[in-house]
Structure formats: structure tokens, C-alpha cells
Amino acid sequence: MSHNNILNSLGSCGIYCSKCFAYKDGIIKQLSSDLKENLGNFDIYAERFVNLLNEAVFEKYPDFKEMLNHFSNVECGGCRKDECKLFVDCKVKQCSKDHLVDFCFECSEFPCTQHGFDEHLEKRWLTIQNKMKENGVQSYFNEIKDIPRY
Ligand code: SF4
Ligand code: SF4
């Protein structure tokens, strides 16, 4: 993947948008849409299977379908193009633009306290940025590109 494509896939915080459930071109949306399509009219069968197979798990199908629908309809274009739908208090996106950096580790103020993250996300941000700082963006990207984000 080229440097520009890597840049488009990662927020300035370093989190991998392409594997986010909310990303419109992401694998989670793609697989959810495929599964939804392949399940067709499973609603009717799920109802029947409760008694036919005597398996109560099929009672949960409507909730599962609702989740699949949710995953299938997400529309985020990623941090570099869109507003993040998850971390609404994030200050990093605008701040990195103001500081003319692609990632926080390139900023003279890093590590700062103006990211707007909660404790959990701050920890993750610090770990990611330090990895990129030590080994480079490409090396960090290679490490995460094939593993689940969650
Ligand atoms: S900007 Fe936020 S919501 Fe959108 S894909 Fe990236 S992490 Fe997910
Ligand atoms: S001031 Fe902090 S949040 Fe802003 S770009 Fe620098 S390191 Fe990132």
C-alpha cells in the first residue's frame, strides 16, 4: 500500500479506520452486507427452527438481524475525509491540521494533554504514536493491517 493510501486509512491518532465497523468501505460493512444478502428470508425459518430444532437461540435472530442491518448501513468516510462517528470529543483531527502534522508523534508538543480522549483511548493513542515514532508508520501499519481492530 502506498504512503498516501496508508495515510487515508489511519486517523492522525493512528487508529485504523478501514477496520472500523462504521467505515463505509470497510470489511465489517462488506461482510455484514454479504451475510445479510445470503440469509435472504431467514426470518421465517428462524421462527420455525425454534420448535423444529428445539433451539431457543433462533429466538434471537431478530436482534442479530438488526445488528447486521446496522453494520450494513454505516456511512463514515474515515477520519481524513469525514467527522468521526465514534470519538466525538476528539481534538486530534483539527489539532494535527493546525500543527501541520499527519500524526501526533510528529508534533513538537507530543505527548500532550489536548487530545480530548478518555483514559482508555489516551493509552491506546500513546502506544500507537510511540510505535510509529520508534519504528515508522509503515512498520506499524504492517503490524495491524491484517488483525481485527477490536
Ligand atoms: S473516522 Fe471514526 S467512525 Fe469513521 S471510520 Fe474512522 S474511527 Fe470509524
Ligand atoms: S498538540 Fe497534541 S493533539 Fe495536537 S497534534 Fe500535537 S500531539 Fe496531537
Side-chain angles (χ1 to χ4, degrees):
M1 211 183 232
S2 75
H3 181 71
N4 271 353
N5 285 343
I6 292 176
L7 210 62
N8 284 335
S9 308
L10 301 171
S12 18
C13 62
I15 288 182
Y16 192 20
C17 283
S18 302
K19 290 234 170 158
C20 175
F21 82 82
Y23 190 55
K24 70 174 179 194
D25 297 319
I27 186 75
I28 294 181
K29 176 174 180 174
Q30 180 63 54
L31 292 173
S32 299
S33 303
D34 289 350
L35 181 54
K36 195 181 137 185
E37 198 183 318
N38 279 283
L39 280 164
N41 289 321
F42 196 80
D43 308 58
I44 302 159
Y45 293 85
E47 257 183 70
R48 286 179 59 203
F49 288 156
V50 174
N51 296 323
L52 203 64
L53 305 179
N54 197 21
E55 288 193 46
V57 69
F58 288 100
E59 285 172 6
K60 298 181 182 168
Y61 183 69
D63 285 344
F64 174 66
K65 189 179 169 188
E66 200 176 324
M67 199 71 240
L68 268 189
N69 282 339
H70 187 73
F71 283 150
S72 305
N73 292 325
V74 293
E75 282 300 336
C76 187
C79 178
R80 304 278 176 185
K81 293 189 193 142
D82 229 335
E83 289 308 315
C84 185
K85 314 289 182 292
L86 307 182
F87 312 122
V88 287
D89 294 331
C90 171
K91 303 278 183 293
V92 166
K93 180 178 171 171
Q94 189 53 48
C95 194
S96 59
K97 278 186 190 159
D98 297 343
H99 284 81
L100 305 173
V101 293
D102 291 328
F103 298 102
C104 285
F105 78 86
E106 299 165 317
C107 171
S108 58
E109 291 182 48
F110 177 78
C112 71
T113 51
Q114 56 224 63
H115 41 68
F117 297 146
D118 64 18
E119 204 183 324
H120 172 81
L121 199 54
E122 180 185 30
K123 235 175 163 175
R124 197 160 170 203
W125 168 74
L126 275 174
T127 307
I128 294 171
Q129 296 298 324
N130 282 324
K131 271 188 187 177
M132 291 202 283
K133 191 173 184 175
E134 277 165 36
N135 307 319
V137 175
Q138 180 75 54
S139 162
Y140 163 69
F141 185 75
N142 291 344
E143 181 190 321
I144 58 144
K145 71 182 172 44
D146 298 321
I147 55 172
R149 164 173 160 161
Y150 301 105

